[in-house]
Amino acid sequence: NTQHLLAGGVYWEQRLRPLGVPLAAQLSADLSAAIPFVLLNRLPGSDLGAIYLSLDEDQKRTVAAAVVDAQTRTARMPEAAGFGHGLCYEDPALAHRRNWPQVIAELLDRSRQRIASARVVDVTTVDRISPWLRKFESYFARIRPTPFLDDTTTKNVIVHGDRLTGIVDVDEVCFGDPLLTVGLTQMALLQQGENTSYVSHWLELLAAKAEQRAVVDFYTAVFCLDFLGELGQPFNREPTAVDLSKVASLQQILGDLLHRL
């Protein structure tokens, strides 16, 4: 049942579009229909990941600047009562997360459970993150429940030529550290075997300091575990054989990230 996600998309569209966040326009919606729906205007262009190789560095920087602007506009909304993903400000899940480390812990717990159930890699792989959880303790303690778009990665960022035409699939807004999205974007590019210069442009536009850059690598490692946890999961599909080269690649990425930290 996706009705709650559709409702979240309608809710956040009404709050983000007046701030100038370039979302796909909602043409029609009926959440009480037998089959609830939201009809969106189709944006010209493709997902960033689909055309990434065709972009030069100036074009990547232009797209990154537009995403940074969208995140800056999103951050003008009020803080939430808690942290993590919310379908609305009144989402009870937000109130249950009283600090940012709880959100990170939930991500790691989900990876641990998935890795344990799939048995593709050893579950102790998740424990490799623990030293850096302590290392960034003081940083995490300073994080406020700031609103940001958590899924503006290599997907949902629609690009035509060198221009961001809009952002799609904003069913939820996340509250906490916007650098989490930078980490997820970096992981998506690393998994695809692409260079990460787009992330470098993003961090430069944010004037990110050394601590923030290290935190982005930490978040990237957290999502690397998440990607490892997805291997061998059916996710409503017929189970398929796990690509061992993908396992090896992700383990190498994780090792490189932890070495950088």
Side-chain angles (χ1 to χ4, degrees), residues 142-159:
R142 300 194 300 270
I143 298 299
R144 301 287 304 169
T146 302
F148 67 95
L149 306 176
D150 68 295
D151 220 9
T152 54
T153 60
T154 56
K155 295 180 180 178
N156 305 323
V157 172
I158 309 302
V159 178

Side-chain angles (χ1 to χ4, degrees), residues 30 52 232:
D30 189 343
Y52 187 79

Side-chain angles (χ1 to χ4, degrees), residues 52-119:
Y52 187 79
L53 283 175
S54 69
L55 300 177
D56 62 29
E57 294 308 315
D58 286 341
Q59 291 170 324
K60 289 176 187 174
R61 185 178 177 85
T62 297
V63 176
V67 170
V68 168
D69 180 69
Q71 296 285 13
T72 300
R73 293 173 185 272
T74 299
R76 293 174 187 163
M77 293 194 301
E79 293 183 352
F83 292 80
H85 297 86
L87 293 164
C88 62
Y89 274 102
E90 297 75 30
D91 192 328
L94 289 171
H96 290 149
R97 304 187 200 97
R98 304 309 302 170
N99 56 62
W100 184 240
Q102 279 184 260
V103 177
I104 305 303
E106 285 183 13
L107 286 171
L108 293 175
D109 286 346
R110 182 177 70 181
S111 294
R112 186 183 301 277
Q113 291 168 15
R114 287 178 173 175
I115 287 172
S117 69
R119 299 182 180 180

